[in-house]
Structure formats: structure tokens, C-alpha cells
Amino acid sequence: MPSRSTSARGSIWLDLQAVEAWIDGHRVFDDLSLQLHCGEHTALLGPNGSGKSSLVQLISRNLYPVVRPGSHLKLFGSDTVNLWQLRQRLGLVASDLDARIPAGLLGRELLLAAFFGAISLGRDRHPSAEQIERCERLLQEHELVDQADQPFGRLSDGQKRRFLLARALVHQPEVVVLDEPTNALDLKAKHLLLNQLRRLMATGTTLVMVTHQLEAIPPEMQRVIGLRQGRVILDGPPDQVLADQPLSDLFDTPLRVVTASGYRQVLPG
């Protein structure tokens, strides 16, 4: 994968200003303002129900904010985003995507279908030689060659997650957003995925990780945002945010943070 510039803070790719949004009659955001920058690896942290997954839905345009004066949602500088163009710049690994993939679908087809914005190829979708070559390269990079022709339903959770990451990368997007990428993975699968993410960040692809697991935040993260009840209550570099008192406030319980090899683990305070 070609390297990109790794400038610490580039152009704004996500710009939320005074956003209000509702899901099933429940207001998940009231006055949310937030900017995320290209080149700035960011972790979004918070307890269950804090609004993390709802924020991912705003980014993927599965959730739309209330239209009101002084409020906007812009992606890559535009508030009228073409979804096909968005897929070229933004890769998304959603926490619920694997549940929508047919159990019998082969891993290779799952990757190839992403070029058409689909789950499967169908009869009218024919990948080009260049797309097939890109798919094979991703299978190699993510150590999935041996699983490429296996049904998705027979794969382990870790293999499924790596396929979804590879799928999100078919268009070589500038930004990749991952919603709870290590959730439900065992230790080996979690470490394999984290190593893949660290290699991805080293290429210059901007990574945004949405999680409630402190130990899943790679050392390369440059910014950590803490959400609670739909509001940003923490925002800063990891050394400041991932500390005892800020995290205790965020999760409303006494916590103690220990660090080893750049990773952090949280213990009861």
C-alpha cells in the first residue's frame, strides 16, 4: 500500500457544528460540535450509550441531523456528499456489518463486491483485472489468502474482522473509521488485528477508532476524545486523557491506568 503524508494535522474531514440528532424518538445529540483532521489518528472513547456508535452512523450517513440554523455536518468540506464519492475517501468497519453478510458468501467475493458498493457481486457486476489484483494484494497483506475461498460464516471472529478491514480498504481511502473493531475477539485475534491497524497507520492512512476498550488503543493514537451522554467531555493527547482522573470522570467510577509497551490497561481505582 503506498504511503501518504503523515502530517500531524491536515485538512478537516469531519466537521460537526451544533448537531442535534434523534434515534427512535430518543435524542442522542443535542449540541455536538467536533472536528476531525486528516493525518490525526483519533480514538473515540466512552461508556455504553455515550453516543459512539451514533456518531459512526452520522459519518456513514445512516443517521441525519436535524436541520436548524447554525448547525451543519460536513464531510471532507461538503455538506452535500455523494455516497459513491464518499466511499472513495472514507472506509468504514461497522460493528453490525458482519451480521448482514450471508453465511455462504466467500471472502474473496466480499472484497470484490466492495468495488461496487455491494455485499455480493451478483450477475451484473464484473470486477476488472485491476480490481482483482487489488483484492489479491489485500488478501496477502491481511494474511487471508488461505481463507479467501471459505464461506464467511465458517470464519473465526478475528478472520471476519480482518476481512471487513480489508474490504474497507479496497478504494485506498484517506480515512478509515472502525466501530468497536476488537469487540468479542480473543487475545490472539485482537493482537493480530491491532498489528494490522498499526501497519495501516504507518502508511499514512488516517485511523479513527471508536471503542470502550482502553487496551485496544494503539500507541500511535495522537488524539483521544471522550464522549458521555452525547457530549464531548474530554479531548486531548493520550498522555493527558488516558489518565486516572479523566477516565474516572468519563466512566463515573474510580479507575487506575497502567502502561506497558505503549498500550494502556485500566484497573479498578
Side-chain angles (χ1 to χ4, degrees), residues 175-186:
V175 178
V176 175
V177 177
L178 304 108
D179 186 10
E180 302 286 2
T182 60
N183 194 35
L185 299 186
D186 63 27

Side-chain angles (χ1 to χ4, degrees), residues 1-190:
M1 184 180 297
S3 295
R4 296 189 181 94
S5 170
T6 55
S7 58
R9 197 170 180 130
S11 60
I12 297 171
W13 73 266
L14 175 65
D15 184 7
L16 304 177
Q17 180 64 43
V19 164
E20 177 183 348
W22 295 69
I23 297 179
D24 297 330
H26 172 68
R27 185 163 57 189
V28 291
F29 299 115
D30 180 18
D31 188 25
L32 179 64
S33 295
L34 178 67
Q35 292 181 337
L36 298 182
H37 298 255
C38 292
E40 184 177 57
H41 305 308
T42 304
L44 290 157
L45 191 66
N48 291 336
S50 61
K52 303 187 302 299
S53 293
S54 298
L55 179 57
V56 174
Q57 290 186 58
L58 283 175
I59 294 170
S60 65
R61 308 312 294 261
N62 290 319
L63 175 64
Y64 286 85
V66 174
V67 177
R68 62 182 187 180
S71 174
H72 66 243
L73 187 164
K74 295 182 180 181
L75 291 167
F76 298 99
S78 175
D79 55 8
T80 56
V81 176
N82 177 287
L83 287 179
W84 178 251
Q85 293 176 347
L86 182 61
R87 291 191 188 106
Q88 315 299 309
R89 307 186 71 178
L90 177 68
L92 181 65
V93 181
S95 58
D96 63 343
L97 179 58
D98 57 349
R100 294 187 277 122
I101 297 172
L105 187 71
L106 302 184
R108 179 179 277 106
E109 183 177 352
L110 178 66
L111 263 61
L112 290 170
F115 287 105
F116 304 92
I119 295 293
S120 60
L121 286 174
R123 296 181 179 179
D124 57 343
R125 301 183 180 110
H126 305 287
S128 66
E130 182 180 357
Q131 290 170 338
I132 293 172
E133 181 183 356
R134 171 71 179 151
C135 171
E136 295 303 315
R137 189 160 59 248
L138 284 168
L139 289 171
Q140 292 176 4
E141 290 175 357
H142 293 266
E143 302 178 27
L144 292 168
V145 174
D146 292 341
Q147 292 78 36
D149 295 312
Q150 293 184 21
F152 191 78
R154 295 184 185 176
L155 301 175
S156 69
D157 288 340
Q159 290 166 346
K160 289 178 180 178
R161 211 65 53 86
R162 300 208 313 275
F163 264 107
L164 294 180
L165 175 59
R167 173 184 165 87
L169 296 172
V170 297
H171 294 296
Q172 297 179 277
E174 301 166 52
V175 178
V176 175
V177 177
L178 304 108
D179 186 10
E180 302 286 2
T182 60
N183 194 35
L185 299 186
D186 63 27
L187 286 176
K188 181 178 180 180
K190 181 183 293 187

